[in-house]
Amino acid sequence: VPFVGSCVGDTTDITITVRPSPVILADQEITICSGENANVEIQLSPANTPAGVTLSWPDPDGPGSATSRVNVSADPAGTLHITDLLTNNDDEPILVRYAVSAESPLGCQGEITNIDVIVQPGAVVDAGESTITCPGGPLTLIGSSIGGLATEATWSVVSRPANANGNGSLGFEGATDRPDTVTFSADTSGIYVLRLTTNDPAAGTCPAVSEEITITVRSAEDQICKGGGGGPDPGETGECA
């Protein structure tokens, strides 16, 4: 109430509107295996309040596979906001920390909150390149390898040509830490699919993984295999017996 001396002015109401700032729920953390998507729904507290919030975060791991995002809509409920496919080729878990800020439609900024994704290394497998070869062999499966927490892997023949009658075999069918030393031989022409599957050294934390390659065996009458000159077709790799 303003006044000058003994003169009192009229009473006037002043309205102050306090707009809510969005609050990101604290202690949000998930654990995934290498090669999986994070798939995180960033939760607000209270849930989905206020409406129309946008979320932003900088790149959390530099040259890694995580990415920055700007003005990602928090709505509707059930939206997966962080969907990066994250990898870990080390022997220990790694932490990918997203520093997320939230902004209301009226421009009110909430506090930055960390969203943590722990990436277990799991098993890593590389079956090498598909190739073309001639009947007989043996063909060494070079270029194949294992990594992460995998300590061994096993080759298997997944499929053979319909007329192979069981033809097509591996030189070693057990688990090995050197899959690139295993050989494959086949006398029947056609397409063979081989699979390299790791063991599960993390005791169920992350699953074993596998990868397949295709071995195409040429006909014995093929000019290349008969020694008549020429080489693999453009873009092909392989060897002749």
Side-chain angles (χ1 to χ4, degrees):
V1 180
F3 67 91
V4 177
S6 61
C7 299
V8 179
D10 294 335
T11 300
T12 302
D13 293 333
I14 298 176
T15 302
I16 299 176
T17 302
V18 180
R19 296 167 176 167
S21 295
V23 177
I24 298 174
L25 187 67
D27 302 322
Q28 296 186 61
E29 177 183 293
I30 67 164
T31 299
I32 65 172
C33 295
S34 178
E36 293 180 344
N37 294 89
N39 290 342
V40 176
E41 178 184 5
I42 299 173
Q43 302 282 347
L44 300 178
S45 179
N48 308 112
T49 304
V53 168
T54 56
L55 306 166
S56 301
W57 58 87
D59 187 343
D61 64 353
S65 54
T67 56
S68 62
R69 296 289 301 277
V70 177
N71 296 331
V72 178
S73 177
D75 300 326
T79 298
L80 298 178
H81 306 109
I82 301 175
T83 58
D84 292 331
L85 189 152
L86 302 176
T87 57
N88 178 6
N89 295 323
D90 296 332
D91 293 334
E92 299 293 334
I94 61 173
L95 171 64
V96 180
R97 174 165 287 170
Y98 294 80
V100 182
S101 61
E103 182 176 351
S104 75
L106 298 175
C108 297
Q109 297 274 352
E111 294 184 1
I112 294 175
T113 303
N114 291 330
I115 307 295
D116 290 342
V117 180
I118 298 172
V119 186
Q120 297 283 356
V124 178
V125 68
D126 184 352
E129 299 292 333
S130 295
T131 190
I132 300 174
T133 188
C134 290
L139 172 71
T140 303
L141 301 173
I142 59 174
S144 56
S145 64
I146 56 175
L149 292 185
T151 57
E152 293 180 322
T154 303
W155 281 105
S156 59
V157 181
V158 178
S159 66
R160 299 174 168 85
N163 62 337
N165 296 321
N167 186 259
S169 61
L170 296 161
F172 180 73
E173 296 183 347
T176 176
D177 61 353
R178 288 294 308 276
D180 58 336
T181 63
V182 176
T183 60
F184 174 75
S185 301
D187 295 324
T188 303
S189 62
I191 296 175
Y192 297 77
V193 177
L194 275 57
R195 178 183 297 153
L196 181 61
T197 304
T198 69
N199 61 346
D200 186 10
T205 303
C206 294
V209 293
S210 63
E211 188 174 63
E212 296 179 356
I213 57 170
T214 298
I215 307 295
T216 302
V217 178
R218 299 178 187 270
S219 166
E221 300 302 313
D222 190 291
Q223 191 69 17
I224 293 175
C225 298
K226 292 175 68 174
D233 297 332
E236 294 179 352
T237 60
E239 60 185 57
C240 293

